[in-house]
Amino acid sequence: GARGRPRPQIISEYHLTLPPHTSEQTEMRYPATVMPPPPRWKGTQRHVSVADYEPEGLEVLMRLYYPTSTSPPSNLFRPRYFTSSDYTHGLVHFLLNLTSRPFWVRTLAGVIYMCTYCSAFLTDTIPASLDAPPLLLNNVADNSKQRLPVVVVSHGLAGSRNMHAALCTSLASQGYVVAAIEHRDGSASCAALVKSSGSGRSRVTYKPYVHTDGNFKWRREQIAKRTEEFSAAIAALTAAGDGRGAPRNIFPTSRFDASALDGAVDVSQLVGLGHSFGGVTVVAAAEANKAITRIVLLDPWTAPMGDAVQATSVPTLVVNSHKWGQNLRPLYTNATAVWLEAEVAGVLHQDFSDMPLRIPWIMAKSIGKGTVDLYRLFDFKLSLMHLFFEEVAHAEQSGVGGDTLAAALHAGTVELVDRYRGEMGIQIKSSFSEANIKTGDLAARSIRSSIIHLPPLQPPARERMADATLGLGAWVRVSLQAQLRL
């Protein structure tokens, strides 16, 4: 927000009860409504607001997802999933590299992405308010303000600050402040930039995806830039939490006053979460920034770092799609912290993004989507994350050792996996199972993994599509290939 505006109200309540679920409401699914919390979560689900935030002097843009007492408006007035046609253009450009195509191909692609944007603008929204005041609850025991824990999210190639809106809004509805970064290293489908004009006013410009020659040296440079942005986001939120005050919001199209975050966030248990290229970004960021105390990796793409990937030094949860072809041994070998990995059969790489939930028929007809029910996958993923958060927090509070935490986390995961028996195949391995198998512990060996068999999986998508988390661009590419034989 601009200087001189009155400080926004931070709403404090003991309880905010949403209408109880009815059979009619259960038919409303994301993105019409926020993804529900998993059964193991016992809190009260809150409404959600989003706000774009660029802290002054820190050169990072993030979309904040946070709880609020303001109910979301009608669909027409909700935040748009594609905030500009530049984002639909970016998706097409990611798949087709339009700069190298003939004029007529670029023209046809332009018609497609503009029509898609116009359609999406009318119907494709995020189930949240925009720039509403955050909700801060009181602790019933001592009437003190209960600060909101923080999750910082890094997207994969061709992602954006909205790419994981399902996960971000769900976590926000459960009491988290989620900061989803839009990386400006050339890896986003489109990145919004703030430019100053001669009149002293700022405006937003857009940078599309930058194609590379496949040289991992370029990717490692991007990781370095992404790590800087990750630390910048943490710096802004830390300032809000430690009394210095959040830096002023300078993003031109946002009305969010960052002073609303002052005293409202708790960065003591900060979570770094990343998908694909965002996964290796989080690993690098955790090595560089000790404020990150636990990390969650969804199909991490570690190939650009190779064996240079740092062994995990903070508690780590990894959720992989079936036969995700990345060597994660460097991450686990010589790890100094607890780690757990769950591999889910019937899941493809892009199933961790919003795209299969928003345009399932396009995904199914283009680069494909997994055979697992995506809402059940989301439920498992969120349940496992909550188990991970709870066990790590309990271990920190009680002062128990890493071995005890590893055993508790592994046993809890085995129990959780059993609840999905017959629905999806899940294999787990962890620092607990690895350590005990090395010492010949047969009891540990017997619970090393829990596998539930499924019918044969669909053949994997082509390697170039491996990191395509965006179904729209893939659909355009497949359509053009079919019609134009590109």
Side-chain angles (χ1 to χ4, degrees):
R3 297 185 187 276
R5 290 181 182 171
R7 176 182 171 85
Q9 178 186 11
I10 298 178
I11 302 171
S12 299
E13 299 181 8
Y14 284 104
H15 298 286
L16 173 64
T17 304
L18 299 183
H21 266 318
T22 66
S23 57
E24 289 78 13
Q25 287 175 313
T26 58
E27 297 303 317
M28 291 186 62
R29 285 185 157 189
Y30 182 85
T33 187
V34 174
M35 283 282 199
R40 65 175 294 108
W41 189 74
K42 304 303 181 185
T44 301
Q45 192 174 18
R46 316 292 172 181
H47 296 303
V48 177
S49 182
V50 302
D52 290 329
Y53 178 34
E54 173 145 1
E56 186 175 30
L58 290 177
E59 297 186 359
V60 62
L61 171 63
M62 49 189 144
R63 169 153 280 189
L64 301 178
Y65 300 75
Y66 52 90
T68 183
S69 64
T70 304
S71 59
S74 63
N75 193 65
L76 182 62
F77 299 101
R78 291 183 179 185
R80 314 330 277 180
Y81 187 74
F82 295 115
T83 57
S84 163
S85 61
D86 294 273
Y87 287 88
T88 51
H89 167 267
L91 302 184
V92 177
H93 175 59
F94 168 65
L95 273 303
L96 285 176
N97 192 2
L98 295 176
T99 55
S100 65
R101 300 295 180 181
F103 173 77
W104 64 277
V105 174
R106 298 197 304 270
T107 301
L108 178 58
V111 172
I112 293 173
Y113 75 70
M114 281 304 301
C115 290
T116 303
Y117 169 71
C118 292
S119 174
F121 184 83
L122 296 174
T123 61
D124 203 2
T125 62
I126 296 174
S129 304
L130 182 64
D131 300 328
L135 171 67
L136 192 62
L137 299 180
N138 288 339
N139 287 317
V140 176
D142 57 7
N143 201 34
S144 63
K145 296 268 192 313
Q146 179 180 329
R147 296 189 178 196
L148 305 172
V150 173
V151 180
V152 181
V153 177
S154 175
H155 62 74
L157 294 184
S160 70
R161 63 191 188 274
N162 286 335
M163 180 51 60
H164 300 281
L167 181 58
C168 294
T169 52
S170 184
L171 288 172
S173 75
Q174 296 157 49
Y176 288 87
V177 171
V178 183
I181 299 171
E182 186 163 280
H183 291 292
R184 292 165 168 170
D185 60 327
S187 65
S189 59
C190 178
L193 307 174
V194 177
K195 297 292 185 182
S196 297
S197 62
S199 62
R201 294 187 177 185
S202 297
R203 60 188 178 88
V204 177
T205 61
Y206 296 95
K207 175 182 179 180
Y209 179 84
V210 177
H211 284 272
T212 71
D213 58 3
N215 191 326
F216 281 163
K217 180 179 181 295
W218 173 263
R219 294 298 185 204
R220 288 191 286 271
E221 292 174 357
Q222 289 181 311
I223 291 172
K225 170 64 174 175
R226 284 164 151 256
T227 300
E228 292 175 359
E229 292 174 319
F230 212 94
S231 291
I234 292 174
L237 295 169
T238 299
D242 66 11
R244 288 175 293 156
R248 186 172 68 99
N249 185 12
I250 62 169
F251 196 69
T253 61
S254 176
R255 296 180 298 168
F256 179 71
D257 190 333
S259 65
L261 298 172
D262 294 347
V265 295
D266 176 12
V267 296
S268 65
Q269 297 181 352
L270 191 142
V271 179
L273 188 153
H275 172 233
S276 194
F277 198 37
V280 74
T281 300
V282 169
V283 172
E287 181 66 22
N289 195 317
K290 300 308 177 185
I292 303 171
T293 62
R294 57 216 71 187
I295 61 178
V296 177
L297 312 177
L298 308 175
D299 261 7
W301 184 42
T302 58
M305 296 299 291
D307 291 340
V309 172
Q310 296 288 338
T312 181
S313 58
V314 297
T316 300
L317 172 64
V318 181
V319 184
N320 282 337
S321 58
H322 184 63
K323 294 184 179 179
W324 175 235
Q326 298 296 300
N327 177 21
L328 301 183
R329 295 309 306 173
L331 182 67
Y332 304 145
T333 303
N334 300 320
T336 58
V338 170
W339 58 268
L340 184 139
E341 177 186 322
E343 180 182 310
V344 187
V347 174
L348 298 182
H349 185 63
Q350 59 270 18
D351 290 341
F352 290 109
S353 76
D354 261 33
M355 291 297 99
L357 294 167
R358 290 180 175 272
I359 49 173
W361 65 275
I362 292 179
M363 295 296 289
K365 298 297 183 182
S366 56
I367 61 176
K369 69 184 187 70
T371 57
V372 168
D373 182 283
L374 292 177
Y375 293 92
R376 292 297 288 159
L377 171 64
F378 191 94
D379 184 80
F380 168 71
K381 179 175 63 178
L382 205 56
S383 295
L384 185 56
M385 288 173 59
H386 275 290
L387 172 66
F388 175 69
F389 296 156
E390 291 166 8
E391 293 293 352
V392 173
H394 176 72
E396 290 175 345
Q397 294 165 5
S398 59
V400 301
D403 291 343
T404 302
L405 170 58
L409 182 59
H410 190 104
T413 303
V414 170
E415 181 181 351
L416 176 64
V417 165
D418 194 57
R419 298 177 188 174
Y420 298 86
R421 185 173 299 278
E423 297 183 81
M424 63 185 79
I426 305 167
Q427 181 173 354
I428 63 172
K429 59 183 178 180
S430 70
S431 51
F432 170 74
S433 63
E434 295 278 307
N436 283 279
I437 285 171
K438 288 177 181 177
T439 61
D441 187 329
L442 295 180
R445 187 188 300 262
S446 68
I447 65 169
R448 181 188 184 195
S449 61
S450 178
I451 306 174
I452 307 167
H453 295 288
L454 283 181
L457 301 179
Q458 297 177 349
R462 288 175 296 177
E463 183 177 349
R464 182 163 184 253
M465 294 292 190
D467 201 61
T469 58
L470 307 159
L472 169 61
W475 168 63
V476 171
R477 181 172 189 256
V478 170
S479 299
L480 287 174
Q481 284 180 330
Q483 299 176 38
L484 309 176
R485 296 185 179 181
L486 294 178

